Amino acid sequence: MQDATFTTEETSSLLREQEQSMDGIEVESRPVKIHCEEELSVEASGTAHQISQGRKVYSLTWVLQYINLFMINTGFIILAGQALKAAYVLFRDDHVMKLPYFIAISGLVCAIFAFVVPHLSALRFWLGVSTVLSLIYIVTGFVLSLQDGIKAPARDYSIPSSNGSRVFTTIAASANLVFSFNTGMLPEIQATVRKPVVNNMLKALNFQFTVGIIPMFAVTFMGYWAYGSKTSTYLLNSVTGPVWVKAMANIGAFLQTVIALHIFASPTYEYLDTKYGRSQGSAFSIQNLSFRILVRGGYLAITSLLAALMPFLGDFMSLTGAFSTFPLTFILANHMYLMVKKNKLTTSQKSWHWLNVCGFSCMAVAAAVSAFRLIIVDSSTYHFFADL
């Protein structure tokens, strides 16, 4: 075995050869940025500010979304009560049963439905039922309005009241429209079932706001054409026709409203169940069922009380559009886009989005004032717990 040790001269010779071989190699040098404590402090402060702003925007969105859902559910309770009353007066118009009574009954039925349908995925069968019930209402309202419109004399399509009131009514109507046609929740939820989530969601929303709005627009414009400015907020109160057909449509509207309310209340239910109440085991275990009865029953009791207190469906729709739909759909969306894309947008693009933010903010304030004015006027005209 050969000795592996080197003498001092051999070692020096090897080191000289290594230095000579390294002379022809260019070593890449990169500048190293050294941050001082002040720069790091400023950067950390900016990041903390962004996180703080993000949390504030998240909290604002969270609050607005749940206010939106609560007010939508209040409107659904009013609508269910009106449908139930319309079905009742077809057979007994004795003025014994008032609208607040039917609102209370509607709230009880909605509560029972919420107890037995523990989560949104359990609605699969009921979504099909909801579609059928919606078609019954739409077809009945469209056909009966068409028949009445053909037979009716000339109608008045002008907006009643003074010029000042017309301005408030028109502004409130814009918020009402935004609320009525901003119903993308169900397609968005269903689209997340399978991937790709974003593409499926866009397909569902595109379908809803093209094909899906045709029956909604059809029954809306047909009703206004047939009855003019005297059209009832609840269209089936204006139509004439066979009693059994109107009864079927009213009961269908009532049951469909119960299902629709559960869809829009589900985010609230799921949040409360997940954070406070859901335990291991069956959804119908004593503990889980008791929690649903307590929490969901309390939520719907408050909703029903508010609905019975001020049963002005159109006013509530306008107020919801002003307070939550305008900010969530137009103001917040444009502002978030500006914050995310601010360094990539041209001046004209930034101006357009800021115009949307400012313009719809003014619309939201004006619509809120108009909606409150309508509620005050209706309250002074009718009183609380009115029988409309």
Side-chain angles (χ1 to χ4, degrees):
M1 187 174 179
Q2 205 172 13
D3 191 2
T5 59
F6 296 94
T7 63
T8 303
E9 293 179 359
E10 290 173 334
T11 302
S12 301
S13 177
L14 288 171
L15 289 172
R16 281 194 299 270
E17 290 177 3
Q18 187 175 7
E19 289 175 359
Q20 290 173 359
S21 65
M22 292 291 291
D23 288 341
I25 299 176
E26 295 182 1
V27 180
E28 184 181 359
S29 60
R30 296 179 182 177
V32 178
K33 185 176 181 180
I34 300 175
H35 295 273
C36 64
E37 291 184 2
E38 293 181 356
E39 290 175 325
L40 291 174
S41 177
V42 170
E43 186 175 349
S45 176
T47 304
H49 177 71
Q50 290 175 349
I51 293 173
S52 176
Q53 289 296 106
R55 287 175 177 170
K56 289 179 181 178
V57 173
Y58 173 81
S59 299
L60 177 63
T61 306
W62 190 93
V63 170
L64 287 175
Q65 184 66 63
Y66 280 98
I67 289 175
N68 186 48
L69 295 173
F70 177 79
M71 297 182 72
I72 287 173
N73 292 332
T74 304
F76 274 132
I77 292 285
I78 297 173
L79 179 58
Q82 289 187 342
L84 203 56
K85 181 186 175 183
Y88 174 82
V89 299
L90 290 173
F91 302 97
R92 291 191 61 182
D93 192 7
D94 51 13
H95 300 287
V96 173
M97 293 289 289
K98 310 294 185 182
L99 179 59
Y101 303 157
F102 291 105
I103 288 176
I105 295 171
S106 301
L108 178 61
V109 174
C110 290
I112 294 172
F113 190 78
F115 302 156
V116 299
V117 180
H119 40 72
L120 195 60
S121 59
L123 271 174
R124 291 180 179 178
F125 166 76
W126 294 105
L127 293 179
V129 174
S130 175
T131 302
V132 174
L133 295 172
S134 298
L135 289 174
I136 290 173
Y137 171 84
I138 290 170
V139 172
T140 303
F142 183 88
V143 173
L144 294 182
S145 297
L146 177 61
Q147 291 179 350
D148 290 345
I150 293 173
K151 300 175 185 177
R155 277 82 68 188
D156 180 15
Y157 296 105
S158 63
I159 301 174
S161 67
S162 62
N163 291 333
S165 297
R166 288 179 185 177
V167 173
F168 284 107
T169 304
T170 303
I171 294 173
S174 66
N176 202 320
L177 286 172
V178 171
F179 164 80
S180 299
F181 293 99
N182 184 39
T183 53
M185 177 179 289
L186 185 57
E188 290 180 33
I189 293 172
Q190 289 180 321
T192 59
V193 174
R194 63 186 176 89
K195 296 179 179 181
V197 172
V198 175
N199 290 337
N200 290 337
M201 187 182 297
L202 289 174
K203 289 178 182 177
L205 290 173
N206 288 333
F207 177 82
Q208 181 187 10
F209 289 107
T210 52
V211 178
I213 64 173
I214 291 176
M216 297 178 66
F217 274 123
V219 72
T220 300
F221 286 110
M222 183 57 68
Y224 189 70
W225 170 79
Y227 309 106
S229 57
K230 294 182 179 179
T231 309
S232 171
T233 305
Y234 179 61
L235 180 60
L236 293 182
N237 284 335
S238 298
V239 301
T240 59
V243 172
W244 71 270
V245 174
K246 293 172 64 177
M248 179 181 63
N250 282 305
I251 295 300
F254 167 73
L255 295 175
Q256 197 278 336
T257 303
V258 173
I259 300 171
L261 183 146
H262 190 83
I263 293 172
F264 281 88
S266 286
T268 304
Y269 295 160
E270 291 291 333
Y271 171 77
L272 295 172
D273 289 351
T274 303
K275 191 170 182 65
Y276 301 107
R278 183 172 294 160
S279 62
Q280 299 296 326
S282 171
F284 292 97
S285 65
I286 297 298
Q287 182 177 352
N288 286 330
L289 184 59
S290 300
F291 180 83
R292 287 202 301 275
I293 292 174
L294 178 64
V295 174
R296 298 185 182 187
Y299 175 83
L300 288 168
I302 296 172
T303 306
S304 301
L305 178 62
L306 182 60
L309 185 68
M310 295 183 292
F312 315 121
L313 179 61
D315 301 351
F316 254 100
M317 292 169 67
S318 299
L319 192 63
T320 305
F323 267 103
S324 58
T325 312
F326 266 130
L328 285 172
T329 306
F330 299 106
I331 302 171
L332 190 62
N334 277 283
H335 188 266
M336 290 173 68
Y337 190 82
L338 279 167
M339 294 300 101
V340 173
K341 298 282 189 178
K342 58 184 177 181
N343 295 326
K344 299 179 181 179
L345 297 177
T346 62
T347 304
S348 59
Q349 289 174 324
K350 289 181 180 179
S351 301
W352 167 251
H353 288 290
W354 276 116
L355 179 64
N356 280 321
V357 170
C358 298
F360 284 110
S361 296
C362 295
M363 281 293 296
V365 173
V369 172
S370 301
F372 274 121
R373 179 184 177 277
L374 289 173
I375 291 175
I376 292 170
V377 170
D378 287 339
S379 298
S380 61
T381 304
Y382 295 103
H383 66 74
F384 291 133
F385 298 103
D387 182 30
L388 301 181

